[in-house]
Coordinates of all heavy atoms in Angstrom, one line a residue:
M1 N 0.8 -1.2 0.0 CA 0.0 0.0 0.0 C 0.9 1.2 0.0 O 1.8 1.3 0.7 CB -0.9 0.0 1.3 CG -1.9 1.1 1.3 SD -3.0 0.8 2.7 CE -3.4 2.5 3.0
A2 N 0.5 2.2 -0.9 CA 1.3 3.4 -1.0 C 1.3 4.2 0.3 O 0.3 4.2 1.0 CB 0.8 4.3 -2.1
S3 N 2.4 4.8 0.6 CA 2.5 5.6 1.9 C 2.6 7.1 1.6 O 3.4 7.5 0.8 CB 3.8 5.1 2.6 OG 4.1 6.0 3.6
I4 N 1.7 7.8 2.3 CA 1.7 9.3 2.1 C 3.0 9.9 2.5 O 3.5 10.8 1.9 CB 0.5 9.9 3.0 CG1 -0.8 9.5 2.4 CG2 0.6 11.4 3.0 CD1 -2.0 9.9 3.2
S5 N 3.7 9.3 3.5 CA 5.0 9.8 4.0 C 6.1 9.6 2.9 O 7.1 10.3 3.0 CB 5.4 9.2 5.3 OG 5.5 7.8 5.2
D6 N 5.8 8.7 2.0 CA 6.8 8.5 0.9 C 6.3 9.1 -0.4 O 6.9 8.8 -1.5 CB 7.0 7.0 0.7 CG 7.7 6.3 1.9 OD1 8.5 7.0 2.6 OD2 7.4 5.1 2.2
R7 N 5.3 9.9 -0.3 CA 4.8 10.6 -1.5 C 5.9 11.4 -2.2 O 6.7 12.1 -1.6 CB 3.7 11.6 -1.1 CG 3.0 12.3 -2.2 CD 2.0 13.3 -1.7 NE 1.4 14.0 -2.8 CZ 0.1 14.1 -3.1 NH1 -0.8 13.4 -2.4 NH2 -0.3 14.8 -4.1
L8 N 6.1 11.1 -3.6 CA 7.1 11.8 -4.3 C 6.8 13.3 -4.5 O 5.6 13.6 -4.8 CB 7.3 11.1 -5.7 CG 7.8 9.7 -5.6 CD1 7.7 8.9 -6.9 CD2 9.3 9.6 -5.1
P9 N 7.8 14.1 -4.5 CA 7.5 15.6 -4.5 C 7.0 16.1 -5.8 O 6.3 17.1 -5.9 CB 8.9 16.2 -4.2 CG 9.9 15.1 -4.3 CD 9.2 13.8 -4.1
L10 N 7.2 15.3 -6.9 CA 6.8 15.8 -8.2 C 5.3 15.6 -8.4 O 4.7 16.2 -9.3 CB 7.5 15.1 -9.3 CG 8.8 15.7 -9.9 CD1 9.3 14.9 -11.1 CD2 8.6 17.1 -10.3
N11 N 4.6 14.8 -7.6 CA 3.2 14.6 -7.8 C 2.5 15.9 -7.6 O 2.8 16.7 -6.7 CB 2.6 13.7 -6.7 CG 3.0 12.2 -6.8 OD1 2.6 11.6 -7.7 ND2 3.8 11.7 -5.9
I12 N 1.5 16.2 -8.5 CA 0.7 17.4 -8.4 C -0.1 17.2 -7.1 O -0.5 16.1 -6.7 CB -0.2 17.6 -9.6 CG1 -0.7 19.0 -9.7 CG2 -1.3 16.6 -9.7 CD1 -1.0 19.5 -11.1
A13 N -0.4 18.4 -6.5 CA -1.2 18.4 -5.3 C -2.6 17.7 -5.5 O -3.2 17.8 -6.6 CB -1.4 19.8 -4.8
G14 N -3.0 17.0 -4.5 CA -4.3 16.4 -4.6 C -4.4 14.9 -4.1 O -3.4 14.4 -3.6
R15 N -5.5 14.3 -4.4 CA -5.8 13.0 -3.8 C -4.9 11.9 -4.2 O -4.5 11.1 -3.3 CB -7.3 12.7 -4.4 CG -7.8 11.4 -4.1 CD -9.2 11.3 -4.6 NE -9.7 9.9 -4.5 CZ -10.9 9.5 -4.8 NH1 -11.7 10.4 -5.3 NH2 -11.2 8.3 -4.6
F16 N -4.6 11.7 -5.5 CA -3.8 10.6 -5.9 C -2.3 10.9 -5.9 O -1.9 12.1 -6.3 CB -4.2 10.1 -7.3 CG -5.6 9.4 -7.2 CD1 -6.7 10.2 -7.6 CD2 -5.8 8.1 -6.8 CE1 -8.0 9.6 -7.6 CE2 -7.0 7.5 -6.8 CZ -8.1 8.3 -7.1
F17 N -1.4 9.9 -5.7 CA 0.0 10.2 -5.7 C 0.8 8.9 -5.9 O 0.2 7.8 -5.8 CB 0.5 10.8 -4.3 CG 0.3 9.8 -3.2 CD1 1.3 9.0 -2.7 CD2 -1.0 9.8 -2.5 CE1 1.1 8.1 -1.6 CE2 -1.2 8.9 -1.4 CZ -0.2 8.1 -1.0
V18 N 2.0 9.0 -6.4 CA 2.9 7.8 -6.5 C 3.9 8.0 -5.4 O 4.4 9.1 -5.0 CB 3.6 7.8 -7.8 CG1 4.6 6.7 -7.9 CG2 2.6 7.7 -9.0
D19 N 4.3 6.9 -4.7 CA 5.2 6.9 -3.7 C 6.6 6.4 -4.1 O 6.7 5.9 -5.3 CB 4.7 6.3 -2.4 CG 4.9 4.8 -2.3 OD1 5.4 4.2 -3.2 OD2 4.4 4.2 -1.3
S20 N 7.6 6.4 -3.3 CA 9.0 6.1 -3.6 C 9.2 4.6 -3.9 O 10.3 4.3 -4.3 CB 9.9 6.6 -2.5 OG 9.6 6.0 -1.3
S21 N 8.2 3.8 -3.7 CA 8.4 2.4 -4.0 C 8.2 2.1 -5.5 O 8.4 0.9 -5.9 CB 7.4 1.5 -3.2 OG 6.1 1.8 -3.6
C22 N 7.8 3.1 -6.3 CA 7.6 2.9 -7.7 C 8.9 2.3 -8.4 O 10.0 2.8 -8.1 CB 7.3 4.2 -8.4 SG 7.3 4.2 -10.2
I23 N 8.7 1.3 -9.2 CA 9.9 0.7 -9.9 C 9.9 1.0 -11.4 O 10.6 0.4 -12.2 CB 9.9 -0.9 -9.7 CG1 8.5 -1.5 -10.3 CG2 10.1 -1.3 -8.3 CD1 8.5 -3.0 -10.4
D24 N 9.2 2.1 -11.8 CA 9.3 2.6 -13.1 C 9.0 1.6 -14.2 O 9.6 1.5 -15.2 CB 10.7 3.1 -13.3 CG 10.8 4.1 -14.5 OD1 9.8 4.6 -14.9 OD2 12.0 4.2 -15.0
C25 N 7.9 0.8 -14.0 CA 7.6 -0.3 -14.9 C 6.7 0.2 -16.1 O 6.6 -0.5 -17.1 CB 6.8 -1.3 -14.1 SG 5.0 -0.9 -13.8
D26 N 6.2 1.4 -16.1 CA 5.5 2.0 -17.2 C 4.0 1.7 -17.3 O 3.3 2.2 -18.1 CB 6.2 1.6 -18.5 CG 5.9 2.6 -19.6 OD1 5.7 3.8 -19.3 OD2 5.7 2.2 -20.7
Q27 N 3.5 0.8 -16.4 CA 2.1 0.3 -16.6 C 1.1 1.5 -16.4 O 0.2 1.6 -17.2 CB 1.8 -0.8 -15.6 CG 0.3 -1.1 -15.6 CD 0.0 -2.5 -15.4 OE1 0.9 -3.4 -15.5 NE2 -1.2 -2.8 -15.1
C28 N 1.3 2.3 -15.4 CA 0.3 3.3 -15.1 C 0.4 4.4 -16.2 O -0.7 4.9 -16.6 CB 0.5 4.0 -13.8 SG 2.1 4.7 -13.6
R29 N 1.6 4.6 -16.8 CA 1.7 5.6 -17.8 C 1.0 5.2 -19.1 O 0.5 5.9 -19.9 CB 3.2 6.0 -18.0 CG 3.8 6.5 -16.8 CD 5.3 7.0 -17.0 NE 6.2 6.0 -17.5 CZ 7.1 5.4 -16.8 NH1 7.1 5.6 -15.5 NH2 7.9 4.5 -17.3
T30 N 1.1 3.8 -19.3 CA 0.5 3.3 -20.5 C -1.1 3.3 -20.3 O -1.8 3.6 -21.3 CB 1.0 1.8 -20.7 OG1 2.4 1.9 -20.9 CG2 0.3 1.2 -21.9
E31 N -1.5 2.9 -19.2 CA -2.9 2.8 -18.9 C -3.6 4.1 -18.7 O -4.8 4.2 -19.2 CB -3.0 2.0 -17.6 CG -4.3 1.3 -17.4 CD -4.3 0.4 -16.2 OE1 -3.2 -0.1 -15.8 OE2 -5.3 0.2 -15.6
A32 N -3.0 5.1 -18.2 CA -3.6 6.4 -17.9 C -2.6 7.5 -18.2 O -2.2 8.2 -17.3 CB -4.1 6.4 -16.5
P33 N -2.3 7.6 -19.5 CA -1.2 8.6 -19.8 C -1.6 10.1 -19.6 O -0.7 10.9 -19.5 CB -1.0 8.4 -21.3 CG -2.3 7.7 -21.8 CD -2.8 6.9 -20.6
D34 N -2.9 10.3 -19.4 CA -3.3 11.7 -19.1 C -3.0 12.1 -17.6 O -3.1 13.3 -17.3 CB -4.8 12.0 -19.4 CG -5.1 11.9 -20.9 OD1 -4.1 12.1 -21.7 OD2 -6.2 11.8 -21.2
F35 N -2.7 11.1 -16.8 CA -2.6 11.3 -15.4 C -1.2 11.0 -14.8 O -0.9 11.4 -13.7 CB -3.7 10.6 -14.7 CG -5.0 11.0 -15.1 CD1 -5.7 10.3 -16.1 CD2 -5.6 12.2 -14.7 CE1 -7.0 10.7 -16.6 CE2 -6.9 12.6 -15.1 CZ -7.5 11.9 -16.1
F36 N -0.4 10.2 -15.6 CA 0.9 9.8 -15.0 C 2.0 10.1 -16.1 O 1.8 10.0 -17.3 CB 0.9 8.3 -14.8 CG 0.0 7.8 -13.7 CD1 -1.3 7.4 -14.0 CD2 0.4 7.9 -12.4 CE1 -2.2 7.0 -13.0 CE2 -0.5 7.4 -11.4 CZ -1.8 7.0 -11.7
A37 N 3.1 10.5 -15.6 CA 4.3 10.8 -16.4 C 5.5 10.2 -15.8 O 5.5 9.8 -14.6 CB 4.4 12.3 -16.7
R38 N 6.6 10.2 -16.5 CA 7.8 9.6 -16.0 C 8.8 10.7 -15.6 O 9.0 11.7 -16.3 CB 8.5 8.8 -17.1 CG 9.8 8.2 -16.7 CD 10.3 7.1 -17.6 NE 11.3 6.3 -16.9 CZ 12.6 6.5 -17.2 NH1 13.0 7.3 -18.1 NH2 13.5 5.8 -16.5
D39 N 9.3 10.5 -14.4 CA 10.4 11.4 -13.9 C 11.7 10.7 -14.3 O 12.1 9.7 -13.6 CB 10.3 11.5 -12.4 CG 11.5 12.3 -11.8 OD1 12.3 12.7 -12.5 OD2 11.5 12.3 -10.5
A40 N 12.3 11.1 -15.4 CA 13.5 10.4 -16.0 C 14.6 10.5 -15.0 O 15.5 9.6 -15.0 CB 13.8 11.0 -17.3
E41 N 14.7 11.6 -14.3 CA 15.9 11.8 -13.4 C 15.9 10.8 -12.3 O 16.9 10.3 -11.9 CB 15.8 13.2 -12.8 CG 17.1 13.7 -12.2 CD 17.0 15.2 -11.8 OE1 16.4 15.9 -12.6 OE2 17.5 15.5 -10.7
N42 N 14.7 10.5 -11.7 CA 14.7 9.6 -10.6 C 14.2 8.2 -10.9 O 14.2 7.3 -10.1 CB 13.8 10.2 -9.5 CG 14.4 11.5 -9.0 OD1 15.6 11.5 -8.5 ND2 13.7 12.6 -9.0
G43 N 13.7 8.0 -12.2 CA 13.2 6.7 -12.6 C 12.0 6.3 -11.8 O 11.9 5.2 -11.3
T44 N 11.0 7.2 -11.8 CA 9.7 6.8 -11.2 C 8.6 7.5 -12.1 O 8.9 8.3 -12.9 CB 9.6 7.4 -9.8 OG1 9.5 8.8 -9.8 CG2 10.6 6.9 -8.9
S45 N 7.4 7.1 -11.7 CA 6.2 7.8 -12.3 C 5.8 8.9 -11.2 O 6.1 8.8 -10.1 CB 5.1 6.9 -12.5 OG 5.3 6.1 -13.7
Y46 N 4.9 9.8 -11.7 CA 4.3 10.7 -10.7 C 3.0 11.2 -11.4 O 2.8 11.0 -12.6 CB 5.2 11.9 -10.5 CG 5.6 12.8 -11.6 CD1 4.8 14.0 -11.9 CD2 6.6 12.4 -12.5 CE1 5.1 14.8 -13.0 CE2 6.9 13.2 -13.6 CZ 6.2 14.4 -13.8 OH 6.5 15.1 -15.0
V47 N 2.1 11.7 -10.5 CA 0.8 12.1 -11.0 C 0.9 13.5 -11.5 O 1.4 14.4 -10.8 CB -0.2 12.0 -9.9 CG1 -1.6 12.6 -10.3 CG2 -0.4 10.6 -9.4
T48 N 0.4 13.7 -12.8 CA 0.6 15.0 -13.4 C -0.7 15.8 -13.3 O -0.7 17.0 -13.5 CB 0.9 14.8 -14.9 OG1 -0.1 14.0 -15.5 CG2 2.2 14.2 -15.1
R49 N -1.8 15.1 -13.1 CA -3.1 15.8 -13.2 C -4.1 14.9 -12.3 O -4.0 13.7 -12.4 CB -3.7 15.8 -14.6 CG -4.9 16.6 -14.9 CD -5.0 17.0 -16.3 NE -5.4 15.9 -17.2 CZ -6.6 15.6 -17.5 NH1 -7.6 16.2 -16.9 NH2 -6.9 14.6 -18.4
Q50 N -4.9 15.5 -11.5 CA -5.8 14.8 -10.7 C -7.1 14.5 -11.4 O -7.6 15.5 -12.1 CB -6.1 15.5 -9.4 CG -4.9 15.7 -8.4 CD -4.5 14.4 -7.8 OE1 -5.2 13.4 -7.7 NE2 -3.2 14.4 -7.4
P51 N -7.6 13.3 -11.4 CA -8.9 13.0 -12.1 C -10.0 13.7 -11.5 O -10.1 13.9 -10.3 CB -9.0 11.5 -12.1 CG -8.3 11.2 -10.8 CD -7.2 12.1 -10.7
V52 N -11.0 14.1 -12.3 CA -12.2 14.9 -11.8 C -13.5 14.1 -12.1 O -14.3 13.9 -11.2 CB -12.3 16.3 -12.4 CG1 -13.5 17.0 -11.9 CG2 -11.0 17.1 -12.0
T53 N -13.6 13.6 -13.3 CA -14.9 12.9 -13.6 C -14.9 11.5 -13.1 O -13.8 11.0 -12.8 CB -15.0 12.8 -15.2 OG1 -14.0 12.0 -15.7 CG2 -14.9 14.2 -15.9
P54 N -16.1 11.0 -12.8 CA -16.1 9.6 -12.3 C -15.3 8.6 -13.2 O -14.7 7.7 -12.7 CB -17.6 9.3 -12.3 CG -18.3 10.6 -12.2 CD -17.4 11.6 -13.0
E55 N -15.4 8.8 -14.5 CA -14.7 7.9 -15.4 C -13.2 8.0 -15.2 O -12.5 7.0 -15.2 CB -15.1 8.2 -16.9 CG -16.5 8.0 -17.3 CD -17.5 9.0 -16.8 OE1 -17.1 10.1 -16.4 OE2 -18.7 8.8 -16.8
D56 N -12.7 9.2 -15.1 CA -11.3 9.4 -14.9 C -10.8 8.9 -13.6 O -9.7 8.3 -13.4 CB -10.9 10.9 -15.1 CG -10.9 11.3 -16.6 OD1 -11.0 10.4 -17.5 OD2 -10.9 12.5 -16.9
I57 N -11.6 9.1 -12.6 CA -11.3 8.6 -11.2 C -11.2 7.1 -11.3 O -10.2 6.5 -10.7 CB -12.3 9.1 -10.2 CG1 -12.1 10.6 -10.0 CG2 -12.1 8.3 -8.9 CD1 -13.3 11.2 -9.1
E58 N -12.1 6.5 -12.0 CA -12.1 5.0 -12.1 C -10.8 4.6 -12.8 O -10.2 3.5 -12.5 CB -13.3 4.6 -12.8 CG -13.6 3.1 -12.6 CD -14.9 2.7 -13.3 OE1 -15.9 3.4 -13.2 OE2 -14.9 1.5 -13.9
L59 N -10.5 5.3 -13.9 CA -9.3 4.9 -14.6 C -8.0 5.0 -13.7 O -7.2 4.1 -13.8 CB -9.1 5.9 -15.8 CG -7.9 5.7 -16.7 CD1 -8.1 4.4 -17.5 CD2 -7.8 6.9 -17.7
V60 N -7.9 6.0 -12.9 CA -6.7 6.1 -12.1 C -6.8 5.1 -11.0 O -5.8 4.5 -10.6 CB -6.6 7.6 -11.5 CG1 -5.5 7.6 -10.4 CG2 -6.3 8.5 -12.6
Q61 N -8.0 4.8 -10.4 CA -8.1 3.7 -9.4 C -7.7 2.4 -10.0 O -7.1 1.6 -9.4 CB -9.5 3.7 -8.9 CG -9.8 4.8 -8.0 CD -11.3 4.9 -7.6 OE1 -12.2 4.6 -8.3 NE2 -11.6 5.3 -6.3
Q62 N -8.1 2.2 -11.3 CA -7.7 0.9 -12.0 C -6.2 0.8 -12.1 O -5.6 -0.2 -11.9 CB -8.4 0.8 -13.3 CG -8.5 -0.6 -13.9 CD -9.1 -1.6 -13.0 OE1 -10.3 -1.3 -12.5 NE2 -8.5 -2.7 -12.7
A63 N -5.6 1.9 -12.5 CA -4.1 2.0 -12.7 C -3.5 1.6 -11.3 O -2.5 0.9 -11.2 CB -3.7 3.3 -13.2
A64 N -4.1 2.2 -10.2 CA -3.6 1.9 -8.9 C -3.7 0.4 -8.5 O -2.8 -0.2 -8.0 CB -4.3 2.8 -7.9
A65 N -4.8 -0.1 -8.9 CA -5.1 -1.6 -8.6 C -4.1 -2.4 -9.4 O -3.7 -3.5 -8.9 CB -6.5 -1.9 -8.9
N66 N -3.7 -2.0 -10.6 CA -2.8 -2.8 -11.4 C -1.4 -2.6 -11.2 O -0.5 -3.3 -11.8 CB -3.2 -2.5 -12.9 CG -4.5 -3.1 -13.3 OD1 -5.0 -4.0 -12.7 ND2 -5.1 -2.5 -14.3
C67 N -1.0 -1.6 -10.3 CA 0.4 -1.4 -10.0 C 0.9 -2.5 -9.2 O 0.5 -2.8 -8.1 CB 0.5 -0.1 -9.3 SG 2.2 0.2 -8.7
A68 N 1.9 -3.2 -9.7 CA 2.4 -4.4 -9.1 C 3.0 -4.2 -7.7 O 3.1 -5.1 -6.8 CB 3.5 -5.1 -10.0
T69 N 3.6 -3.0 -7.5 CA 4.2 -2.7 -6.2 C 3.3 -1.8 -5.3 O 3.7 -1.3 -4.3 CB 5.5 -1.9 -6.5 OG1 5.3 -0.8 -7.4 CG2 6.6 -2.8 -7.1
A70 N 2.0 -1.6 -5.7 CA 1.1 -0.8 -5.0 C 1.6 0.5 -4.6 O 1.6 1.0 -3.4 CB 0.6 -1.6 -3.7
S71 N 2.2 1.2 -5.6 CA 2.9 2.4 -5.3 C 2.0 3.7 -5.6 O 2.4 4.8 -5.4 CB 4.1 2.6 -6.3 OG 5.0 1.5 -6.1
I72 N 0.8 3.4 -6.0 CA -0.1 4.6 -6.3 C -1.1 4.6 -5.2 O -1.9 3.7 -4.9 CB -0.9 4.4 -7.6 CG1 0.1 4.2 -8.8 CG2 -1.8 5.5 -7.9 CD1 -0.5 3.8 -10.1
G73 N -1.1 5.8 -4.5 CA -2.0 6.0 -3.3 C -3.1 6.9 -3.5 O -3.1 7.7 -4.5
D74 N -4.1 6.8 -2.6 CA -5.3 7.7 -2.7 C -5.5 8.2 -1.3 O -5.8 7.4 -0.3 CB -6.5 6.8 -3.1 CG -7.8 7.6 -3.1 OD1 -7.8 8.7 -2.6 OD2 -8.8 7.0 -3.5
E75 N -5.3 9.5 -1.1 CA -5.3 10.0 0.3 C -6.7 9.9 0.9 O -6.9 10.0 2.1 CB -4.9 11.5 0.2 CG -3.4 11.6 0.1 CD -2.9 13.0 0.4 OE1 -3.7 13.9 0.8 OE2 -1.7 13.3 0.1
T76 N -7.7 9.7 0.1 CA -9.1 9.6 0.6 C -9.5 8.2 1.0 O -10.5 8.0 1.5 CB -10.1 10.2 -0.4 OG1 -10.2 9.3 -1.5 CG2 -9.8 11.6 -0.9
A77 N -8.6 7.3 0.6 CA -8.9 5.9 0.9 C -8.5 5.6 2.4 O -7.5 6.1 2.9 CB -8.1 4.9 0.0
G78 N -9.3 4.8 3.0 CA -9.1 4.4 4.4 C -7.7 3.9 4.7 O -7.1 3.9 5.6
Ligands
SF4_101 S1 2.5 1.0 -12.3 FE1 3.3 1.4 -10.2 S2 5.5 0.7 -10.3 FE2 4.8 0.9 -12.4 S3 5.4 3.0 -13.1 FE3 3.3 3.1 -12.3 S4 3.5 3.6 -10.1 FE4 5.5 2.9 -10.8

């Protein structure tokens, strides 16, 4: 489970974030390219835009569910 204390600084402010356990596998960027980008310097992904519509929120939640290292967090999740 992603940790807020390990939230990467490049993530845009808001609900969803990538933490430092990201292994740069590219899955979230492929699945939801409007919301994730690659930090080439550090070899991680980060959230570039927070989803607003229910469809986009579901897309990001799905990307989070598919992240093998559970590196995508949701601050509103219990
Ligand atoms: S799917 Fe997970 S491990 Fe892969 S790049 Fe995205 S956040 Fe990192």
Side-chain angles (χ1 to χ4, degrees):
M1 186 172 150
S3 166
I4 292 175
S5 60
D6 294 330
R7 180 180 177 122
L8 294 169
L10 269 185
N11 289 294
I12 196 156
R15 173 178 174 178
F16 291 98
F17 63 96
V18 176
D19 80 3
S20 59
S21 65
C22 170
I23 58 169
D24 196 22
C25 76
D26 202 36
Q27 172 144 346
C28 59
R29 302 188 298 260
T30 301
E31 200 172 334
D34 290 342
F35 301 97
F36 295 93
R38 180 165 193 259
D39 173 6
E41 195 173 321
N42 295 304
T44 66
S45 284
Y46 63 98
V47 175
T48 56
R49 189 158 74 87
Q50 296 292 337
V52 176
T53 66
E55 292 78 14
D56 284 348
I57 290 170
E58 195 177 323
L59 181 68
V60 171
Q61 285 174 325
Q62 197 57 53
N66 290 336
C67 172
T69 50
S71 304
I72 301 169
D74 177 355
E75 288 193 7
T76 70

